[in-house]
Amino acid sequence: MDQDMTEAIIIDGVLLSKHLREDVSKRAAALTAMGRTPGLAVVLVGDNPASAVYVRNKVKACEQHGLSSTLDRLPATVTEAELLSRIRQMNEDPAVHGILVQLPLPGHIDSHKVIETIASEKDVDGFHVANAGALMTGRPQFRPCTPYGVMKMLKAYDIPVAGKHAVVIGRSNIVGKPMALLLLEAGATVTICHSKTADLSFHTKSADIVVAAVGKRNVVTGDMLKRGATVIDVGMNKNDEEKLCGDIDFPSVNRVAGHVTPVPGGVGPMTITMLLVNTLESAERAAQM
Ligand code: NAP
């Protein structure tokens, strides 16, 4: 059999991001013409190298697409009170439409308290309880960027969701839980799996859509899938050569799946794109007030 016939369609997060970012640039320019440039305020605490890279990419994406951005680099020794006070200033600043505090935070700072201090109408990550609750009740204000990006990918590739069985592996507040809610909102029958799930492949074998958001290599292999399933790889891990890789065993999954996202070039770029979209939409809402 021709090997090519059995390969999955690659969901290209770079290309889709490019299209979505063109739209962001146009809408940002329209707001700027009204004197209301969309603004993102980013806060980085400490010197975690991975966080520094994420933050730099977010700020750079803003610059490239006509959003203004500020980066507050605070030392790891900053007190919780000082950080909360800085966030309150940003809450009051009319030039700031989105506030993002890069996680994780140093152990002496309560990240829950930090997230709850961000004004919910500027919480472009969508982590504030008001936004989590709005998502839960079907009236989302900000959808968390990574799951929102995944939904855009499914839509762009005409992958049906309503009536389908979706398995989300991972139950974090940042990815797994909001992912499950968005799939539910779109009409899927959703199973959430996690580290205590007794038989992961029992669930994945009947899934039309599998989203892996675990942070461990090779959690999903081709023999765990139904032929033609869509597999979305959110994971970001390092392989033996210290190169970025996801949660799935790409070669075996690629032979069974109908659609698959690569790492890199899949969900990662979409996450930053959706941060731009959320910030832009926040600025558009503020302009209409
Ligand atoms: P997290 O908070 O560590 O959550 C991981 C989840 O995986 C937990 O719910 C855990 O279950 C579950 N899990 C662990 N081992 C498992 C196993 N063997 N089988 C099934 N489930 C298992 O991580 P996260 O923040 O959700 O992120 C997940 C991954 O996505 C990480 O690699 C992260 O770097 C990546 N990520 C990527 C992007 C992007 O833009 N591409 C954005 C965000 C995150 P328990 O709850 O039972 O512990």
Side-chain angles (χ1 to χ4, degrees), residues 43-153:
V43 181
L44 175 64
V45 182
D47 42 24
N48 176 324
S51 292
V53 172
Y54 298 149
V55 158
R56 207 167 44 236
N57 288 341
K58 289 168 185 175
V59 168
K60 197 168 111 191
C62 285
E63 283 166 8
Q64 287 170 338
H65 299 284
L67 285 74
S68 74
S69 62
T70 57
L71 172 58
D72 274 41
R73 295 189 79 127
L74 304 176
T77 52
V78 71
T79 65
E80 187 179 278
E82 284 167 335
L83 176 58
L84 298 184
S85 152
R86 182 69 192 108
I87 291 169
R88 287 190 192 102
Q89 282 171 6
M90 292 169 168
N91 286 344
E92 297 303 318
D93 184 344
V96 172
H97 305 99
I99 301 171
L100 183 152
V101 179
Q102 186 66 41
L103 302 175
L105 291 167
H108 66 281
I109 297 175
D110 179 351
S111 51
H112 182 74
K113 221 187 230 179
V114 169
I115 291 166
E116 295 317 307
T117 301
I118 297 172
S120 64
E121 69 277 11
K122 297 189 179 186
D123 167 41
V124 281
D125 263 337
F127 298 160
H128 191 289
V129 283
N131 285 318
L135 178 63
M136 167 72 104
T137 50
R139 302 184 67 115
Q141 178 176 227
F142 294 110
R143 294 164 178 85
C145 301
T146 301
Y148 193 9
V150 171
M151 295 310 291
K152 290 280 181 193
M153 289 173 131

Side-chain angles (χ1 to χ4, degrees), residues 9-259:
I9 294 168
I10 304 293
I11 300 179
D12 187 339
V14 175
L15 187 65
L16 179 54
S17 281
K18 191 168 171 280
H19 293 313
L20 293 170
R21 289 183 189 199
E22 279 164 9
D23 181 55
V24 166
S25 293
K26 276 190 211 137
R27 286 159 66 188
L31 284 169
T32 297
M34 294 162 56
R36 293 175 176 271
T37 303
L40 176 69
V42 181
V43 181
L44 175 64
V45 182
D47 42 24
N48 176 324
S51 292
V53 172
Y54 298 149
V55 158
R56 207 167 44 236
N57 288 341
K58 289 168 185 175
V59 168
K60 197 168 111 191
C62 285
E63 283 166 8
Q64 287 170 338
H65 299 284
L67 285 74
S68 74
S69 62
T70 57
L71 172 58
D72 274 41
R73 295 189 79 127
L74 304 176
T77 52
V78 71
T79 65
E80 187 179 278
E82 284 167 335
L83 176 58
L84 298 184
S85 152
R86 182 69 192 108
I87 291 169
R88 287 190 192 102
Q89 282 171 6
M90 292 169 168
N91 286 344
E92 297 303 318
D93 184 344
V96 172
H97 305 99
I99 301 171
L100 183 152
V101 179
Q102 186 66 41
L103 302 175
L105 291 167
H108 66 281
I109 297 175
D110 179 351
S111 51
H112 182 74
K113 221 187 230 179
V114 169
I115 291 166
E116 295 317 307
T117 301
I118 297 172
S120 64
E121 69 277 11
K122 297 189 179 186
D123 167 41
V124 281
D125 263 337
F127 298 160
H128 191 289
V129 283
N131 285 318
L135 178 63
M136 167 72 104
T137 50
R139 302 184 67 115
Q141 178 176 227
F142 294 110
R143 294 164 178 85
C145 301
T146 301
Y148 193 9
V150 171
M151 295 310 291
K152 290 280 181 193
M153 289 173 131
L154 296 175
K155 191 158 192 279
Y157 282 77
D158 289 328
I159 294 161
V161 177
K164 300 297 176 185
H165 180 208
V167 170
V168 178
I169 316 174
R171 56 171 164 175
S172 71
N173 291 333
I174 294 171
V175 189
K177 282 184 205 158
M179 184 75 254
L181 286 170
L182 289 177
L183 287 163
L184 188 63
E185 186 185 57
T189 301
V190 182
T191 303
I192 305 176
C193 298
H194 45 78
S195 69
K196 308 289 187 293
T197 299
D199 184 352
L200 183 58
S201 70
F202 168 80
H203 300 285
T204 55
K205 272 182 178 157
S206 66
D208 302 294
I209 299 167
V210 175
V211 181
V214 175
K216 287 181 186 160
R217 289 153 57 183
N218 300 330
V219 168
V220 177
T221 50
D223 60 342
M224 296 167 66
L225 299 169
K226 180 163 92 174
R227 180 155 292 281
T230 296
V231 181
I232 307 287
D233 192 352
V234 178
M236 288 199 306
N237 311 298
K238 289 273 171 72
N239 66 16
D240 293 337
E241 289 82 43
E242 288 295 303
K243 291 213 173 111
L244 184 66
C245 70
D247 285 348
I248 67 167
D249 172 44
F250 190 87
S252 66
V253 168
N254 190 29
R255 284 193 290 273
V256 181
H259 289 82

